[in-house]
Amino acid sequence: MKFGIIVFPGSNCDDDCRYVLHNVLGQEAFFLWHKSQDINGADCLILPGGFSYGDYLRCGAMAAQSPIMKSVKNFANSGGLVLGICNGFQILQEARLLPGVLMRNKTLKFICRNVYLRVEHAQSPFTKACRRGEVLRIPIAHADGNFYMEKKSLKKIIERGQVLFRYSNEDGAISSESNPNGSLENIAGITNEDGNVCGMMPHPERCSETILGNRDGVKIFESIIRSLEGRKI
């Protein structure tokens, strides 16, 4: 499979994503500069974490206006798989490819630590390698990860099955104590209505090798690969 990893000024997890996809999982993975509009035949696009444009204005607001985002929108609207991680999630929201907003953490502090995520749906292209209700341990590193949207829209995305991950404890229980940033409904990751665009705040690329002490994150990438292989049959 061919993975295009979009690099914005200030991206800092692009190499991590490429390493996991190419070195760990043996896939073709390459960088796409934000000023280009050519996605080079990618089967999946990844918007990595970092601090695009230094997080000026709002996180992701300037990156959402980059030339390549027109191609990302066209790709997503045609059913292509798009994954936004942390700052990539913020960019997808600013580009109106995902609903809601990500506000400042409830603590008003940057948080960098491992958290537990409960997988809400295992039929998504991004969770096919997981079980429904499975708990993953994946690190977060953000200051603006507090998911918010107005109540009617929140109810709709829950009913449509767009909530993909929720912050939980090790046993999968959802509570305010397991919510690191104040996100409504403990939401850590969502999809668009069609299910082909995903945004998640935790960083699966940072926990995809045994040497790092945890391989839970590799399941996200394995899920995408399975989904793409199914499309090619």
Side-chain angles (χ1 to χ4, degrees):
M1 300 298 112
K2 296 178 67 175
F3 288 82
I5 301 161
I6 301 173
V7 182
F8 301 92
S11 295
N12 64 12
C13 297
D14 40 348
D15 275 311
D16 304 69
C17 288
R18 184 184 180 279
Y19 178 86
V20 172
L21 287 163
H22 182 68
N23 294 61
V24 178
L25 294 171
Q27 305 299 307
E28 182 178 351
F30 46 83
F31 298 126
L32 298 170
W33 184 233
H34 75 114
K35 287 188 176 181
S36 172
Q37 292 191 37
D38 183 5
I39 64 169
N40 197 24
D43 298 304
C44 174
L45 296 177
I46 294 181
L47 283 69
F51 302 91
S52 59
Y53 290 91
D55 280 349
Y56 291 113
L57 297 182
R58 295 181 308 275
C59 298
M62 294 177 72
Q65 305 304 315
S66 289
I68 201 166
M69 290 307 296
K70 180 180 288 187
S71 300
V72 174
K73 290 179 182 179
N74 290 337
F75 181 73
N77 290 336
S78 66
L81 297 186
V82 180
L83 173 64
I85 301 170
C86 198
N87 187 228
F89 186 0
Q90 296 162 341
I91 295 169
L92 290 175
Q93 285 183 319
E94 289 288 343
R96 300 297 184 263
L97 286 170
L98 287 174
V101 296
L102 289 158
M103 305 191 304
R104 185 58 54 94
N105 295 342
K106 64 181 180 182
T107 60
L108 303 182
K109 295 180 180 180
F110 183 88
I111 304 172
C112 182
R113 63 179 174 86
N114 282 315
V115 298
Y116 292 102
L117 303 182
R118 190 177 75 189
V119 178
E120 300 295 286
H121 303 284
Q123 299 307 311
S124 162
F126 307 95
T127 55
K128 281 186 179 293
C130 305
R131 304 182 313 276
R132 182 180 180 184
E134 182 175 358
V135 177
L136 307 176
R137 185 166 64 95
I138 299 183
I140 57 172
H142 60 251
D144 298 82
N146 184 351
F147 182 86
Y148 178 83
M149 66 194 317
E150 55 94 16
K151 289 184 179 179
K152 286 185 179 179
S153 298
L154 180 63
K155 183 180 178 182
K156 285 182 180 178
I157 70 165
I158 293 173
E159 290 175 347
R160 291 170 180 161
Q162 291 177 240
V163 176
L164 204 55
F165 304 105
R166 280 190 166 96
Y167 298 109
S168 72
N169 66 14
E170 189 173 1
D171 298 318
I174 305 297
S175 67
S176 58
E177 289 74 25
S178 61
N179 188 335
N181 50 37
S183 291
L184 288 180
E185 296 282 337
N186 282 49
I187 291 173
I190 63 170
T191 67
N192 63 342
E193 190 171 348
D194 291 331
N196 64 301
V197 179
C198 173
M200 60 185 298
M201 286 311 294
H203 286 268
E205 77 283 1
R206 296 186 181 184
C207 56
S208 290
E209 280 193 296
T210 304
I211 194 172
L212 299 175
N214 179 13
R215 294 190 77 248
D216 285 359
V218 81
K219 292 185 177 182
I220 307 303
F221 300 108
E222 288 176 338
S223 296
I224 297 172
I225 294 167
R226 286 189 194 181
S227 300
L228 292 174
E229 288 174 342
R231 291 183 174 196
K232 298 258 183 192
I233 294 175

